[in-house]
Amino acid sequence: MLARVVHLLPLELKTLLERLPDHMQEQLEEIRIREGRPLEIGFRGQSRFMMVDGSLRQAADGAYKPSADTCRKLLERITNYSLYAMEEELKRGFITVSGGHRIGLAGRTILDGGMVRGIRDIGAFNIRVAREVIGASALLLPKLIDRNRKTLHSTLILAPPQQGKTTLVRDIARSVSYGLWPTLEASSWQGRKVGIVDERSEIAACVRGIPTFDVGPRTDVMDACPKAEGMMMLVRSMSPEVLIIDEIGRPEDGEAIREASHAGISVVATAHAYDLQDARGRPVLLKLLEEGAFTYVVELKRTEQGVMHRVVPAEAALESAAAREVAAMPRLLPHAVQAWMGRRRADDP
Amino acid sequence: MIKLLGAVLVLFAGTMIGFQQAARFAERPRQLRQLAHALQRLETEIGYGHTPLPEALERTASATPEPLASIFRKAASGVWETESFSFRDSWEQAIRLQWEMTAMKKNEQAVLIRLGSTLGISDKEDQLKHIHLALLQLKSEEDAARDDQGRYEKMWKSLGLLIAVLVVILMV
């Protein structure tokens, strides 16, 4: 993984990080660079400080501290020597570079009438190494297929952060767009036109409007666009058959999803929620479920064995809520709730 | 006969040296003007085009005559060729390497180097301000250069010949 981001690093940092053993380089998830403070790296959900000799410790004493000059060079490299061309990115607090890697920035903000206009004196960087897991949706996709319309059912994917939601929807977009339906009966179906509204540039990781992840040949991406507006723009201009949106939750998102479903478009959306119960507590999601905007609800859970999913038909999701309110019979809908399915660690997103 | 030939050679050489010096005085304001145009072009690329700096420099170079164009071109390519370089290093090296080829002096070199230490690392307004400042400083250098041109260009043209004549008289 280090090899993917090494071209962004100034020489000093590059030589230091290349001293990491190969398996560590492979598992690298984050590089946190703070000017004049210890260099921290993150891998497999853990973090360590990096010593001057390249070893890793839990304690920060004796760690390598990047100098102001190193940070300046890093900033120049990640902005292509053009901070002035990154105003929008600085307003959002991160830069997406080619390859989908995202670099979070912290420093002193510049305010303009109470609104953040940008960051200057940038003193901290968090390089998050992006990984694309091709085939992450292979087990889930067959359960979401709409046989009548030869496309996907509208689906809501629920999970807490860091569980692989984005990786999953990216792979769904890719498969649907290529027409790589992972079941026998659907293998002759053609690909579908996919529209992605990528408000935070995470799904497609566009650089100057061009996706750097492979999201498929029939995919159009509205990058860095507010979700509700982006959905309406895509529906009007690009006639998508499947719409993919990350992290819905605002009332206007619900409105746009309703519009899209009325137009016969399948919507695959994700939302932050611990589980179904939690999602029902959110008015926007509950209303969408009640109105039947989604056919299926998918819960994701990242375990030791990998990412597990569970598909629940939307009506069942609501009924079980009602059932629970009556405080009776949890066995009411065992047929509707499928068991947790998962993937082995090897290709864990 | 040989004496006469030598005298002619001395006269010729003296005149040429004088003309060459005079040409330097004529060349400097011209190059300063070209440099100002180049920076204005860069200003447009940054301010309106939001063009990334290496590309903006390439475009500026293609619209600027030599020897100035090479400064911009080398500054743009230096950052990729030498990994340990920051933009400031690359810019400074390009200026120092190329300076011999120009007719310009230390003052404008200092202005350019100062500009290089701010290019690319701040927001748009800040960039434009720095380029503006550099342009103002170059303008005053250009005015001074024109004064010098008026004063010394003619003088050097005749001075070369006159010194040659003096040498010939002393030799005879």
Side-chain angles (χ1 to χ4, degrees):
Chain A
M1 298 297 139
L2 179 63
R4 296 196 196 167
V5 291
V6 86
H7 64 279
L8 298 170
L9 303 173
L11 194 62
E12 304 88 282
L13 273 176
K14 183 180 158 188
T15 17
L16 185 69
L17 284 164
E18 276 175 346
R19 289 194 196 157
L20 285 172
D22 284 349
H23 69 277
M24 290 292 301
Q25 291 193 14
E26 202 44 47
Q27 293 174 357
L28 201 62
E29 280 169 1
E30 278 187 342
I31 309 172
R32 291 174 165 272
I33 298 147
R34 303 176 174 101
E35 187 179 321
R37 281 175 294 158
L39 176 69
E40 186 189 359
I41 64 164
F43 54 95
R44 285 225 165 255
Q46 304 173 42
S47 92
R48 292 281 186 283
F49 292 108
M50 187 134 190
M51 303 295 122
V52 183
D53 60 5
S55 60
L56 298 175
R57 300 253 179 84
Q58 286 227 351
D61 327 319
Y64 167 79
K65 291 177 179 162
S67 66
D69 192 47
T70 307
C71 288
R72 181 186 162 123
K73 283 182 191 164
L74 177 68
L75 182 63
E76 285 190 344
R77 283 182 163 256
I78 59 180
T79 57
N80 189 17
Y81 305 89
S82 321
L83 197 63
Y84 56 81
M86 300 276 166
E87 273 169 27
E88 280 307 309
E89 283 87 344
L90 289 182
K91 223 181 267 177
R92 296 193 287 170
F94 62 84
I95 296 174
T96 307
V97 295
S98 164
H101 314 296
R102 181 196 268 204
I103 298 154
L105 306 167
R108 200 184 130 163
T109 55
I110 315 169
L111 295 183
D112 191 5
M115 300 277 281
V116 175
R117 212 189 66 202
I119 308 175
R120 71 158 196 228
D121 306 325
I122 295 167
F125 304 82
N126 176 17
I127 304 179
R128 292 167 62 185
V129 185
R131 49 196 70 204
E132 190 178 13
V133 183
I134 290 179
S137 65
L139 283 175
L140 176 64
L141 217 48
K143 297 170 195 158
L144 307 180
I145 282 177
D146 183 342
R147 287 181 179 76
N148 297 330
R149 289 164 55 227
K150 296 194 174 177
T151 179
L152 287 183
H153 280 298
S154 288
T155 306
L156 177 66
I157 299 174
L158 299 174
Q162 288 279 305
Q163 305 289 310
K165 286 191 299 288
T166 307
T167 317
L168 185 71
V169 291
R170 185 188 302 132
D171 198 59
I172 291 177
R174 198 184 58 86
S175 307
V176 171
S177 176
Y178 272 110
L180 298 171
W181 305 96
T183 55
L184 211 56
E185 54 173 326
S187 57
S188 62
W189 299 359
Q190 61 165 358
R192 290 287 168 191
K193 287 180 280 179
V194 178
I196 299 179
V197 185
D198 199 1
E199 183 166 0
R200 302 193 304 162
S201 301
E202 278 188 319
I203 306 179
C206 289
V207 174
R208 268 178 269 146
I210 298 158
T212 60
F213 284 127
D214 181 6
V215 286
R218 294 185 182 85
T219 303
D220 302 299
V221 183
M222 201 60 92
D223 187 38
C225 183
K227 280 173 285 258
E229 254 169 87
M231 274 186 267
M232 293 322 292
M233 285 163 80
L234 277 178
V235 169
R236 271 184 243 122
S237 60
M238 307 306 278
S239 67
E241 290 161 306
V242 177
L243 252 183
I244 296 204
I245 321 115
D246 215 1
E247 288 170 22
I248 57 166
R250 283 173 302 196
E252 60 264 31
D253 300 344
E255 203 58 53
I257 289 174
R258 231 163 280 141
E259 283 296 317
S261 352
H262 287 316
I265 298 165
S266 308
V267 180
V268 178
T270 73
H272 275 311
Y274 185 74
D275 55 14
L276 248 176
Q277 185 68 28
D278 188 19
R280 278 191 297 258
R282 297 176 60 181
V284 176
L285 299 183
L286 182 65
K287 187 142 183 267
L288 280 172
L289 287 172
E290 280 173 350
E291 288 172 355
F294 295 106
T295 317
Y296 288 116
V297 178
V298 176
E299 289 177 277
L300 289 185
K301 202 160 72 177
R302 198 175 180 180
T303 64
E304 280 298 303
Q305 280 79 44
V307 178
M308 314 291 278
H309 63 253
R310 192 167 70 135
V311 182
V312 187
E315 307 103 59
L318 284 171
E319 282 175 44
S320 69
R324 237 168 261 181
E325 272 157 29
V326 181
M329 293 176 286
R331 290 172 288 110
L332 194 66
L333 296 148
H335 62 279
V337 180
Q338 295 188 25
W340 287 95
M341 287 285 290
R343 307 171 54 75
R344 289 178 50 76
R345 188 98 226 181
D347 45 10
D348 169 13
Chain B
M1 184 62 201
I2 288 178
K3 251 190 185 173
L4 189 66
L5 195 68
V8 170
L9 277 178
V10 169
L11 281 179
F12 180 73
T15 317
M16 283 298 110
I17 290 173
F19 269 71
Q20 207 197 347
Q21 285 295 328
R24 280 184 77 87
F25 278 101
E27 194 66 5
R28 188 167 162 238
R30 216 166 55 102
Q31 288 187 354
L32 279 168
R33 172 56 57 88
Q34 289 168 354
L35 186 61
H37 285 163
L39 289 186
Q40 272 160 6
R41 166 118 200 169
L42 190 64
E43 187 181 2
T44 316
E45 290 288 350
I46 289 177
Y48 300 99
H50 288 243
T51 320
L53 193 54
E55 202 183 324
L57 288 172
E58 287 288 348
R59 286 194 199 169
T60 307
S62 62
T64 309
E66 290 292 348
L68 296 177
S70 295
I71 296 182
F72 296 107
R73 208 163 280 135
K74 281 182 184 160
S77 59
V79 284
W80 299 112
E81 282 156 16
T82 319
E83 219 174 343
S84 59
F85 267 16
S86 64
F87 176 76
R88 180 171 46 184
D89 301 332
S90 169
W91 173 262
E92 210 172 313
Q93 193 199 40
I95 289 172
R96 291 197 196 285
L97 283 180
Q98 196 62 18
W99 210 251
E100 291 292 295
M101 318 290 279
T102 70
M104 292 184 288
K105 294 195 171 162
K106 278 262 177 271
N107 288 351
E108 41 271 29
Q109 192 186 30
V111 170
L112 275 190
I113 287 176
R114 231 182 352 258
L115 175 66
S117 69
T118 56
L119 273 185
I121 53 155
S122 56
D123 60 17
K124 198 175 78 187
E125 280 93 72
D126 200 53
Q127 296 284 298
L128 296 185
K129 264 182 211 152
H130 278 107
I131 296 177
H132 235 81
L133 180 66
L135 277 171
L136 279 179
Q137 287 168 326
L138 287 180
K139 179 82 181 94
S140 74
E141 289 302 327
E142 192 191 329
D143 291 344
R146 284 205 192 283
D147 280 356
D148 285 355
Q149 182 190 8
R151 213 174 297 154
Y152 300 117
E153 189 187 8
K154 278 223 177 83
M155 185 198 83
W156 267 106
K157 275 184 185 163
S158 31
L159 198 65
L161 181 68
L162 290 176
I163 289 175
V165 168
L166 179 68
V167 171
V168 168
I169 290 169
L170 288 177
M171 277 188 344
V172 173

